[in-house]
Amino acid sequence: MRDVKRWFENNTDINTKEIEDVLVFLDGKDIKPEQWRSVTGYEDYYEISSRGRIRSKTRTVYKKGAPGNLKKCTYKGKILSIQTHTNGYKFIGLSSDGNVKQHRIHRLVAKEFVPNPDNKPEVNHKLGIKGFNWSINLVWATKSENHQHAHDNGLAGESSNPGSKNGRAKITEEDVIYIRKNPDNLTQPELGEKFGLHHSTIQKINVGKLW
């Protein structure tokens, strides 16, 4: 897992705690090498990887040069920078025929690498970390499934309705005290199993993002 950790440190801006959660999530899973596929609708211009990176393709174009002549120009492909929206989602602007359109990275990855036999409209981050856009962390979902996942894992309404005052709260203040003190030295997945929470939610409770 050391190479995986190094990959996240070099290729993403997710923080150390989130990387720790990702490593726990990936532990024991079949981690496949990074794959690249053409982006649907931009096949001549861009490729998306199974790990959420975007690169332009090397291409040659001919531009007007001296009168009556065409100048051959070659643009070498390269990894492109990805931006972060204020809501935490990663996105990038892709250009075709002079038109630029913004796309969320997790949807681009899902369209090329995650099967969607039921034609579900939304893409869910299984771990709840929006910067973790590997295909293994993505699943197609209905709107209600996505909302339910957010509620079950403390990803919705984190700041507007905290603690046991939240009608959807699954634990009490006493539970939170136990989780933070962790007197039995349980791992985050073990604490999650004990209280019926995802281990990423346990991590958020520990650092004060929840409760």
Side-chain angles (χ1 to χ4, degrees):
M1 299 298 284
R2 186 177 303 169
D3 290 342
V4 174
K5 180 179 181 182
R6 189 178 301 115
W7 189 95
F8 277 97
E9 291 172 341
N10 293 336
N11 293 287
T12 71
D13 60 358
I14 65 176
N15 61 48
T16 301
K17 290 292 185 181
E18 288 176 329
I19 291 176
E20 291 176 0
D21 277 350
V22 168
L23 296 180
V24 171
F25 173 81
L26 293 175
D27 187 35
K29 289 183 171 62
D30 181 19
I31 303 176
K32 292 179 169 42
E34 188 171 22
Q35 298 176 301
W36 291 88
R37 294 179 183 172
S38 295
V39 178
T40 300
Y42 301 88
E43 289 85 354
D44 293 335
Y45 305 103
Y46 304 102
E47 290 181 317
I48 182 83
S49 88
S50 55
R51 297 186 177 183
R53 295 199 293 167
I54 294 274
R55 68 186 180 192
S56 59
K57 290 185 175 182
T58 296
R59 59 193 180 95
T60 299
V61 298
Y62 292 87
K63 295 183 176 182
K64 290 183 178 181
N69 294 322
L70 292 177
K71 181 181 179 181
K72 181 180 179 180
C73 299
T74 299
Y75 297 94
K76 188 175 182 180
K78 63 180 181 179
I79 300 292
L80 303 178
S81 298
I82 291 173
Q83 298 175 284
T84 304
H85 194 275
T86 53
N87 60 16
Y89 287 106
K90 305 297 180 180
F91 72 96
I92 192 167
L94 300 182
S95 176
S96 176
D97 299 325
N99 299 313
V100 179
K101 185 177 180 180
Q102 305 298 328
H103 297 268
R104 289 185 176 185
I105 298 300
H106 66 291
R107 290 192 63 86
L108 293 177
V109 174
K111 285 179 180 179
E112 307 303 336
F113 294 98
V114 182
N116 187 17
D118 297 322
N119 197 30
K120 295 182 178 181
E122 300 191 3
V123 180
N124 185 27
H125 289 82
K126 297 177 185 177
L127 191 56
I129 297 175
K130 296 175 182 176
F132 177 27
N133 288 308
W134 286 26
S135 58
I136 197 173
N137 184 45
L138 303 176
V139 62
W140 289 96
T142 63
K143 195 174 191 69
S144 60
E145 287 171 340
N146 220 348
H147 285 175
Q148 188 62 51
H149 175 268
H151 295 151
D152 289 347
N153 293 281
L155 303 173
E158 292 180 4
S159 60
S160 62
N161 198 13
S164 60
K165 294 179 181 179
N166 187 330
R168 298 188 181 96
K170 298 173 67 174
I171 56 177
T172 66
E173 277 86 354
E174 289 76 13
D175 295 332
V176 171
I177 292 172
Y178 177 92
I179 289 170
R180 287 176 175 161
K181 289 186 176 181
N182 194 10
D184 298 319
N185 293 317
L186 301 178
T187 64
Q188 287 189 2
E190 288 171 338
L191 284 167
E193 184 176 355
K194 180 179 179 70
F195 292 100
L197 301 172
H198 195 280
H199 61 76
S200 65
T201 303
I202 298 295
Q203 189 268 334
K204 288 175 181 289
I205 291 173
N206 279 328
V207 300
K209 287 186 177 180
L210 290 177
W211 290 78

